[in-house]
Amino acid sequence: MASNAIDRLAAGLGRLPGIGEKSARRIALDVLTWKTEDVRALAELLVEVKTRVRTCGACFNLSESDPCPICGDERRDGSQVMVVDFVGDLLAMERMQAYRGLYHVLGGRISPLDGIGPEELNILPLVARLNGGGIREVILANGPTVEGDATAQYLKQVLGTHDVTVTQIARGLPVGSDLALADQVTLSRALDGRREL
Amino acid sequence: MASNAIDRLAAGLGRLPGIGEKSARRIALDVLTWKTEDVRALAELLVEVKTRVRTCGACFNLSESDPCPICGDERRDGSQVMVVDFVGDLLAMERMQAYRGLYHVLGGRISPLDGIGPEELNILPLVARLNGGGIREVILANGPTVEGDATAQYLKQVLGTHDVTVTQIARGLPVGSDLALADQVTLSRALDGRREL
């Protein structure tokens, strides 16, 4: 009885990450109340951005140019490379507006259960960048999860044979959080990472 | 530093209902990992469905035909009309597969604070349907909110002058819920609506 077209649109929208069946239906019905030109504009934006955005050949960031604006910016410090799992992590770091080095996007985390080994990630290109010279510090900023830690451990081994300092961003209590509510692993990392004031 | 194109796509996706800034960014980055043909398919689906779906001239349901499949189904009971606020409410009722009458979609709820009065809703067309004859019962299924109640009260007044039975679907405890956690208004409605077993 329900409109076939609405069901199809809801199914299509349900393929977006984090959009469940009910949300997809709600979004589909809402979109049908939009002006046709607004729906068309969003549709064209999807295709246009997908077509224009490419992967940076150096750091695997996504942008409209290759090299990406970060790799192409001569004012940035090419002696520092921060390794992140995903492009979204890079964008979060950039919003901070404090880091002036370069990046390397792995494209995921080592996760044997999901069939993701080191060879699925952009690790060989990272080694190639190191061999190219000029990099003095590799900052590991893998996600604070079991998979992120496994990836960082693997990278530490691989990069250990190179003449480069390998650091990792701090694990600890997030600013504004409640110590009493922190999980034990976070507390233990915070204690391990204590610094003299 | 962030890709302008990704920001623009995230802004476009952020116009969808229930999609905040962070979700929009996550969806944008995910979509960029899709195959181009899959992105194109979703974009075309948006435009195609928006272009094909129309409003039923009788009940204001959305479908690819006018009259909609429900109004056009001769096996349905034309003497019953259920009034709902939104098309999504109609679709939820249809998923129940138990109601065999027709519908009337108001397109909203009376809400003076939002500038929505009776004249913004499809109430005059409902009165015209009643004047057309053949309708014996109008079932009010407005949302269980202050605005839904105001709309139901208004409809009761307007329809009271017609030779038609006006009923309202029951308010009470949702099945599977916890009486101890129910709010007082729901409990009070459940008590008022008690029936002899």
Side-chain angles (χ1 to χ4, degrees), chain A residues 5-6 9 17 57 61 63 70 78-79 104 109 111 119 129 142-143 148 159 175 177 194-197:
Chain A
I6 298 175
L9 179 55
N61 183 18
S63 84
I70 297 172
S79 74
H104 193 86
R109 298 169 187 152
S111 175
E119 58 285 354
R129 285 177 79 179
N142 306 96
L159 305 179
V175 175
S177 68
R194 67 191 179 278
R195 298 196 307 183
E196 201 169 334
L197 287 180

Side-chain angles (χ1 to χ4, degrees), chain B residues 169-190:
Chain B
I169 62 170
R171 305 290 169 84
L173 290 166
V175 175
S177 68
D178 187 336
L179 201 140
L181 300 178
D183 64 283
Q184 294 184 10
V185 181
T186 297
L187 276 182
S188 144
R189 293 294 184 90

Side-chain angles (χ1 to χ4, degrees), chain B residues 38-126:
Chain B
D38 289 342
V39 177
R40 204 177 291 277
L42 177 60
E44 282 165 5
L45 188 61
L46 274 165
V47 173
E48 185 217 313
V49 170
K50 171 63 189 172
T51 317
R52 278 167 74 152
V53 166
R54 60 204 72 220
T55 302
C56 175
C59 77
F60 296 88
N61 183 17
L62 291 170
S63 85
E64 285 158 276
S65 60
D66 179 14
C68 74
I70 297 173
C71 287
D73 185 347
E74 292 185 356
R75 292 163 303 178
R76 297 191 73 125
D77 182 357
S79 74
Q80 278 187 325
V81 171
M82 183 185 291
V83 177
V84 293
D85 300 330
F86 302 106
V87 172
D89 300 336
L90 180 161
L91 296 178
M93 279 287 171
E94 283 301 287
R95 278 194 293 279
M96 183 182 62
Q97 292 190 323
Y99 176 66
R100 300 299 301 159
L102 303 181
Y103 291 94
H104 193 85
V105 181
L106 294 179
R109 298 168 187 154
I110 294 175
S111 175
L113 288 177
D114 300 313
I116 303 177
E119 58 284 356
E120 267 75 48
L121 307 178
N122 304 318
I123 293 178
L124 284 181
L126 174 61

Side-chain angles (χ1 to χ4, degrees), chain A residues 126-141:
Chain A
L126 174 61
V127 172
R129 285 177 79 179
L130 290 182
N131 289 336
I135 298 175
R136 285 201 299 269
E137 180 181 5
V138 174
I139 304 168
L140 302 182

Side-chain angles (χ1 to χ4, degrees), chain A residues 1-2 5 8 15 17 19 25 29-30 32 34 36 40 43 45-50 64 88 94-95, chain B residues 1 5 8 15 17 19 25 29-30 32 34 36 39-40 43 45 47-50 64 88 91 94-95:
Chain A
M1 283 308 132
R8 280 195 299 129
R15 298 190 49 216
I19 306 292
R25 220 180 282 130
L29 287 170
D30 187 84
L32 290 172
W34 292 13
T36 302
R40 203 177 291 277
L45 188 61
L46 275 165
V47 173
E48 185 216 313
V49 171
K50 171 64 188 171
E64 287 160 274
E94 282 300 289
R95 278 195 293 280
Chain B
M1 285 309 132
R8 280 195 300 129
R15 298 190 50 215
I19 307 293
R25 221 180 282 131
L29 288 171
D30 188 83
L32 290 172
W34 293 13
T36 301
V39 177
R40 204 177 291 277
L45 188 61
V47 173
E48 185 217 313
V49 170
K50 171 63 189 172
E64 285 158 276
L91 296 178
E94 283 301 287
R95 278 194 293 279

